[in-house]
Amino acid sequence: MSSSSHLADNLALLAHETSLLISTASALDDQTIRVASLCQGWTRAHVLSHVARNADALGNLVGWAVTGIPRAMYDSPDSRDADIVAGASRGAREILTDLKDSAARFASAASGLAGAPEQSEVEMRGGRVVRGAQLPTLRLMEVVFHHVDLDAGYTFADADPGFVKRAITIAVERFRAGGQAPSITLRGDEGERWSLGDGAQDVIGTNSALLLWLARGQQSGVSSAAPLPALPSWG
């Protein structure tokens, strides 16, 4: 399969997952959108405002990949945080409109990544360098993970199984790169295995439960013969 084929598949999956997120957000009103999310210190309104601003931020990187003209994701760390706080103060309908419009802007821009822009290198917030082809996957992770963070009925078990496996692999790779992960072997429900360090401790669960533990530290559905170790953040 060509690189462009992977890009098309990722964009199609992103469109599907975005539609599910919008459906969930559409059911929130001015009261339920103020409920606490799984992201510490953030309500659902903060999460959805962040997802909208992330679409524009990654859209800036798409523009960089397509045109070759460097552009930062955000004007500054302070402006990023301020935009999320300000956005969270809006009503549910306004937040929903912003979520839809920003997602549409990203989808339109990302369609121009096919070909040479897929191999272009761009720099994310924090200095991490990625290729243009990776941007739809990074957006997909934001959409799926923060959909789960809304704690409004959607879980990783509702996400595409192939995406869940990819996300676990990405988490494991980031743990390895950080050098602070415990020595564990993750054993999924379809016979998959992911090892960190010497892999001494088996951690067992469905793939969706393993991903929730890796991403948010929640232990429901995950088991081990010994107490589960603390995990570092993987971003």
Side-chain angles (χ1 to χ4, degrees):
M1 184 179 289
S2 70
S3 179
S4 291
S5 296
H6 285 298
L7 177 66
D9 290 344
N10 283 330
L11 290 175
L13 181 56
L14 174 59
H16 172 68
E17 290 292 348
T18 299
S19 71
L20 295 180
L21 173 61
I22 289 172
S23 178
T24 297
S26 297
L28 301 176
D29 58 27
D30 288 342
Q31 286 70 48
T32 53
I33 206 167
R34 308 294 170 202
V35 171
S37 73
L38 298 184
C39 293
Q40 186 174 6
W42 277 7
T43 66
R44 290 167 173 166
H46 287 88
V47 170
L48 292 173
S49 294
H50 165 64
V51 173
R53 298 288 68 75
N54 170 266
D56 290 333
L58 287 176
N60 287 340
L61 296 188
V62 170
W64 180 349
V66 171
T67 67
I69 301 172
R71 185 173 182 185
M73 290 183 69
Y74 301 96
D75 291 337
S76 70
D78 289 343
S79 68
R80 170 189 177 273
D81 296 341
D83 285 346
I84 293 170
V85 172
S89 69
R90 300 171 298 175
R93 294 301 97 184
E94 187 177 356
I95 290 174
L96 176 63
T97 297
D98 185 23
L99 182 70
K100 291 178 177 178
D101 290 349
S102 58
R105 287 193 295 270
F106 179 85
S108 177
S111 65
L113 285 169
E118 293 179 74
Q119 303 305 319
S120 297
E121 292 189 341
V122 298
E123 186 176 312
M124 297 184 66
R125 184 172 69 99
R128 180 182 169 205
V129 175
V130 299
R131 291 179 295 105
Q134 294 174 263
L135 296 173
T137 298
L138 293 170
R139 175 61 183 169
L140 179 59
M141 293 188 69
E142 289 286 326
V143 168
V144 173
F145 276 57
H146 287 312
H147 195 174
V148 172
D149 287 331
L150 291 179
D151 197 20
Y154 177 95
T155 72
F156 284 127
D158 300 308
D160 176 76
F163 166 80
V164 172
K165 292 178 187 178
R166 275 197 289 162
I168 294 174
T169 299
I170 290 170
V172 168
E173 289 172 350
R174 292 189 187 179
F175 281 141
R176 286 174 182 154
Q180 297 180 331
S183 293
I184 55 175
T185 294
L186 304 171
R187 295 185 180 272
D189 53 350
E190 297 180 12
E192 304 90 350
R193 294 177 59 182
W194 297 267
S195 293
L196 285 163
D198 61 17
Q201 180 179 353
D202 283 346
V203 178
I204 302 169
T206 64
N207 290 344
S208 57
L210 289 173
L211 183 56
L212 186 61
W213 178 58
L214 293 173
R216 298 294 181 258
Q218 295 200 10
Q219 300 181 3
S220 177
V222 177
S223 63
S224 181
L228 290 169
L231 293 170
S233 172
W234 59 278

